[in-house]
Amino acid sequence: MQMSKIALITGAAKGIGFETARQLAQAGVHVIVAARSQDKADAAVAGLKAEGLPVEALALEVTDAASIAAAAAAVAARHGRLDILINNAGVMHDDPAKKVSEQSLDTWRSTFDTNLFGVIAVTQAFLPLLRKSAAGRIVNLSSILGSNTLHATPGSPIYDFKVPAYNVSKTALNGWTVQLAYELRDTAIKVNAAHPGHVQTDMGGPNAPMAITDGAKTSVRLALLPADGPNGGYFHMGDTLPW
């Protein structure tokens, strides 16, 4: 029998991460649901297991080096490899009442700690396990708000939406995606950035136009890319976004 693919999703206790875990597990992937605490991961997994889905829980705080190392060691011991890494965990700390130039340095630092440096640290820790996969996939949860092209274009859908620490952290994440994809271009690993859409989550708000089920679809698609799929791209629902 063919072994199931093994996926790890950070920030998967709720929202888009949780729905991505559900959809991948429904597709037959064994999903490691990672959350900041074991309790949160266990609670999320309980719901998915009740649906008969192949999942397990893992504590992983993306801003804590010891937590990342322990998580990588646990996955190595249990599975010996990783086929899919979805860097889903993210934060938005900008104060909407403040102008671009008024956001505090603490806001910038805390945002980048999770949205960029946490992604890099987690990827570095799990890359040896991804190299053991026959077809590794890395999906970085970005946002259309990371597009410099659209931010600089009057009349674009995001032109007037300036939450700078969050936006620039996603721009930087896009840059990391391109750099890593270049390094891995001659391997079986593909690295891409995903814009899930404006989704009805805690961050997106209840009036967002997209349901969570649709918000997970781009990540799932990129996680299950075939061998001739793209590498180093920036996508939403099959469409390529401008950098």
Side-chain angles (χ1 to χ4, degrees), residues 9-95:
I9 307 173
T10 65
K14 61 181 181 178
I16 294 170
F18 182 80
E19 180 60 26
T20 302
R22 173 185 280 121
Q23 291 184 21
L24 281 177
Q26 288 173 339
V29 177
H30 180 87
V31 180
I32 303 168
V33 175
R36 288 178 173 176
S37 71
Q38 191 65 46
D39 287 346
K40 289 181 178 180
D42 287 340
V45 159
L48 295 172
K49 282 187 174 179
E51 299 177 31
L53 298 175
V55 295
E56 66 179 90
L58 181 70
L60 173 53
E61 167 53 67
V62 303
T63 63
D64 185 315
S67 176
I68 295 170
V75 174
R78 294 175 196 169
H79 303 289
R81 77 179 202 280
L82 186 65
D83 301 295
I84 298 164
L85 172 63
I86 301 181
N87 288 304
N88 173 81
V91 297
M92 181 187 286
H93 290 159
D94 293 79
D95 183 343

Side-chain angles (χ1 to χ4, degrees), residues 184-196:
L184 300 173
R185 67 195 185 283
D186 294 325
T187 74
I189 302 174
K190 296 183 182 297
V191 189
N192 290 286
H195 165 51

Side-chain angles (χ1 to χ4, degrees), residues 97-169:
K98 292 183 177 180
K99 297 177 182 179
V100 168
S101 61
E102 295 172 344
Q103 303 295 333
S104 70
L105 282 178
D106 284 344
T107 293
W108 281 88
R109 289 183 175 118
S110 63
T111 302
F112 270 67
D113 277 346
T114 295
N115 293 2
L116 178 65
F117 302 133
V119 172
I120 294 172
V122 168
T123 304
Q124 288 175 335
F126 284 94
L127 193 54
L129 293 176
L130 286 158
R131 290 185 183 276
K132 295 181 180 181
S133 171
R137 302 289 181 262
I138 299 173
V139 182
N140 294 327
L141 260 290
S142 183
S143 168
I144 196 173
L145 294 173
S147 171
N148 275 333
T149 298
L150 294 177
H151 272 298
T153 303
S156 83
I158 65 167
Y159 183 69
D160 294 317
F161 200 78
K162 299 296 193 276
V163 282
Y166 180 83
N167 295 351
V168 178
S169 74

